[in-house]
């Protein structure tokens, strides 16, 4: 099933790479370059899944995840979030999960890992809504 996937990322190379990867498996890709615009876009389109860079020029990915989880919009409150970051420091994964992200991936982005994470989260969401 085709889904709308939002990626909030300020690095154009990663944006292009992930756009191609997501479109290659038949999903609709929307990219936004910073946190504030990303959150606005999320409100607008209610994406099925959000890919989230942590280091962004305005608010960081942790803050974005916290705002999504605090949202009164149920789509955004429950939307699956994959954090993708170059931060290799110990504790970053925990921090991302604490902020409300479902999964943490480190850069450089492994496309096969991305595909499998995306598909399994989308599948889990579909199973929940079928109940
Ligand atoms: Mn970044």
């Amino acid at each position: 099933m085709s889904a709308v996937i939002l990626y909030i990322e300020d690095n154009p190379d990663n944006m292009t790479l992930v756009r191609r990867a997501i479109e290659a498996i038949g999903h609709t890709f929307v990219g936004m370059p910073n946190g504030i615009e990303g959150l606005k876009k999320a409100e607008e389109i209610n994406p099925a899944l959000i890919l989230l860079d942590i280091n962004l020029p305005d608010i960081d990915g942790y803050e974005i995840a916290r705002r999504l989880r605090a949202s009164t919009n149920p789509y955004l409150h429950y939307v699956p979030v994959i954090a993708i970051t170059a931060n290799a420091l110990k504790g970053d994964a925990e921090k991302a999960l604490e902020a409300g992200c479902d999964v943490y991936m480190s850069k450089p982005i492994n496309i096969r890992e991305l595909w499998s994470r995306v598909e399994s989260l989308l599948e889990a969401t579909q199973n929940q809504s079928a109940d």
Side-chain angles (χ1 to χ4, degrees):
M1 205 182 98
S2 178
V4 176
I5 296 178
L6 173 65
Y7 186 24
I8 305 174
E9 166 68 85
D10 60 323
N11 178 302
D13 293 335
N14 285 327
M15 190 66 98
T16 301
L17 177 75
V18 171
R19 174 185 292 277
R20 286 184 186 147
I22 293 300
E23 289 177 348
I25 52 172
H27 297 306
T28 300
F29 181 92
V30 179
M32 294 308 284
N34 63 58
I36 296 296
E37 286 182 83
L39 280 168
K40 251 190 229 158
K41 186 55 82 176
E43 282 286 351
E44 240 174 80
I45 64 174
N46 289 326
L49 186 144
I50 295 178
L51 304 170
L52 191 55
D53 180 29
I54 296 297
N55 297 311
L56 289 160
D58 50 356
I59 53 174
D60 67 22
Y62 304 124
E63 178 60 22
I64 294 171
R66 282 191 288 269
R67 291 194 195 181
L68 289 169
R69 294 309 175 227
S71 175
T72 53
N73 173 345
Y75 287 100
L76 300 188
H77 186 87
Y78 293 111
V79 65
V81 177
I82 301 177
I84 304 178
T85 179
N87 298 351
L89 298 173
K90 254 193 177 170
D92 283 347
E94 289 79 359
K95 227 175 138 185
L97 300 177
E98 270 169 31
C101 298
D102 296 278
V103 168
Y104 174 94
M105 283 178 58
S106 41
K107 290 176 184 170
I109 297 164
N110 178 313
I111 297 300
R112 285 186 187 284
E113 182 188 1
L114 178 68
W115 281 337
S116 97
R117 301 274 192 201
V118 164
E119 292 305 334
S120 65
L121 281 172
L122 288 177
E123 214 170 282
T125 313
Q126 277 165 29
N127 291 341
Q128 276 165 20
S129 40
D131 286 344

